[in-house]
Every structure is written in structure tokens, then in C-alpha cells.
Amino acid sequence: MSVRSETLGEVIEWLKAQADSEWECAQEGLCEGYDGYDAYTRTIEHCQDMLLDDTAEHGKA
């Protein structure tokens, strides 16, 4: 596993924790809407795509 892939994995885990927190906040009415949650989940998806790209690139080498 490359350093970049390892770092992306760590970032994804952190983002998931933040998304969970935003979801709970929105469910409890402590924040307006789900914009924060949506932003985190879009970022998670982007990081996962980057991780898949790295995995595919590593497989070609």
C-alpha cells in the first residue's frame, strides 16, 4: 500500500466520523439542513475514487 493510499484511507475514516456527527446534528435539529453531511459524503466519494484509481494504477505496474 502506498503512502498516498494509506493517507486517503485515514482521511476517509475522519470524514466518515465527521459525516456521522453532521447527520446526528441535523437529525436532532441542532443545525440547519444536511448541507454539511452532503459535503462530507461527496468528499468521501471523491477520496474513494482516488483510492480506486491508485489501486488500479498499482495493479498495472
Side-chain angles (χ1 to χ4, degrees), residues 39-55:
Y40 282 119
T41 55
R42 284 193 311 269
T43 306
I44 289 167
E45 290 170 5
H46 178 69
C47 288
Q48 288 172 332
D49 290 344
M50 291 172 61
L51 191 56
L52 288 175
D53 290 344
D54 281 359
T55 304

